[in-house]
Amino acid sequence: MPRHIRIVLVEPSHPGNIGAAARAMRTMCLDTLVLVRPARFPDAEANARASGALDVLRRARAVTTLDEALQGCALVAGTSARRRDLGPPAITPRACAARLCDAPPDVDVALLFGRERTGLTNEELERCHLLVHIPANPEYSSLNLAAAVQILAYELLLARGTAPVATDGDALPANVEEMEGLYAHLESAAITSGFLDPQQPKHLMRRLRRLFNRAQPDPREINILRGLLTALLRARHG
Ligand code: SAH
């Protein structure tokens, strides 16, 4: 995993697209935005379109050359709405995300987006190690700039393996100790209740582990389950 994944917009002309790109990045846990010669920045329209992602805009760097934007980057991927004859063969956003995320931990990588009207120049694309094309309608393959950023940012989120687990609220999944506590409790309840014969355990605990590892319960859910086990055993013996 690289240190930073830079999103670089080359000469964006609409501040609204800058704001929408910042929002797309924020929703996918990216925060390093570099703008090469933006037509207008900072700008009220960019702020409005960024919605809750103002921090990405505030930290964004505006520079005057592509060299500055790419300084220190070990791997550069360029996006193109059209098939190009020059440069490397185009790969999909998924393959590109995997390649970028494979970079060593001490380097920066960059993902380049072009101008709304004309995209990236051939010269700019020649600076790229990878060329990415989002598969689209061959008769109309040009996405809005921020929409293209959204798709690549989403693929990067999946490739980083940091897709948030869907749990109640924002709770993190339980840690290893809490899970082990649950398994020990389940096993002793299964034995005490007569459901599990310790002389012939078969695969019960392995199957229960598989079930709860798949569910990734949070600590509160673990407490509910353990509270329920305690109450059931107490009722049985009480
Ligand atoms: N007419 C321009 C379109 C530019 S769209 C051209 O042909 O290049 C603005 C930017 O959005 C592009 O430079 C690219 O960064 C991104 N983009 C739009 N559609 C894309 C697609 N299908 N695949 C990859 N990037 C795309």
Side-chain angles (χ1 to χ4, degrees):
M1 198 71 61
R3 194 174 46 176
H4 292 297
I5 301 177
R6 266 180 232 177
I7 299 294
V8 179
L9 307 185
V10 178
E11 294 194 341
S13 52
H14 299 297
N17 279 336
I18 299 176
R23 181 175 184 172
M25 289 171 60
R26 184 86 168 86
T27 57
M28 301 293 137
C29 310
L30 292 174
D31 56 10
T32 313
L33 176 61
V34 183
L35 307 166
V36 182
R37 295 184 299 274
R40 282 159 45 199
F41 186 78
D43 186 273
E45 201 181 331
N47 292 352
R49 289 288 298 280
S51 195
L54 280 178
D55 49 336
V56 177
L57 283 186
R58 250 183 244 122
R59 295 183 44 192
R61 238 172 3 110
V63 298
T64 51
T65 63
L66 187 56
D67 280 337
E68 273 176 88
L70 299 183
Q71 202 167 32
C73 280
L75 190 61
V76 181
T79 51
S80 174
R82 285 174 285 144
R83 300 235 161 262
R84 310 269 185 151
D85 299 332
L86 287 166
I91 58 174
T92 62
R94 195 152 300 173
C96 171
R99 292 283 299 275
L100 292 179
C101 290
D102 255 3
D106 51 342
V107 308
D108 281 11
V109 299
L111 187 51
L112 236 59
F113 293 85
R115 301 152 187 85
E116 288 92 336
R117 283 249 212 86
T118 54
L120 293 167
T121 64
N122 286 335
E123 201 183 25
E124 286 160 349
L125 282 170
E126 280 161 25
R127 304 281 304 273
C128 300
H129 305 95
L130 305 171
L131 176 62
V132 197
H133 174 71
I134 301 167
N137 180 352
E139 284 156 29
Y140 189 30
S141 63
S142 175
L143 281 74
N144 163 266
L145 171 59
V149 172
Q150 183 76 72
I151 286 177
L152 265 307
Y154 172 68
E155 290 295 341
L156 285 166
L157 177 93
L158 294 186
R160 291 201 303 280
T162 52
V165 177
T167 51
D168 186 9
D170 283 336
L172 290 169
N175 63 28
V176 174
E177 290 77 29
E178 288 159 336
M179 293 298 280
E180 288 306 316
L182 171 67
Y183 297 136
H185 204 153
L186 278 170
E187 187 168 20
S188 81
I191 292 170
T192 312
S193 65
F195 183 73
L196 175 67
D197 176 0
Q199 304 310 315
Q200 275 206 312
K202 301 219 177 98
H203 296 310
L204 179 71
M205 286 318 297
R206 194 188 293 168
R207 286 188 179 281
L208 286 176
R209 278 176 183 272
R210 234 174 54 169
L211 166 65
F212 286 106
N213 282 339
R214 200 164 65 227
Q216 290 200 275
D218 64 38
R220 220 171 60 192
E221 291 163 337
I222 299 263
N223 280 339
I224 292 172
L225 286 168
R226 296 194 58 176
L228 178 65
L229 289 174
T230 304
L232 286 172
L233 288 177
R234 204 185 299 128
R236 194 182 140 88
H237 298 296

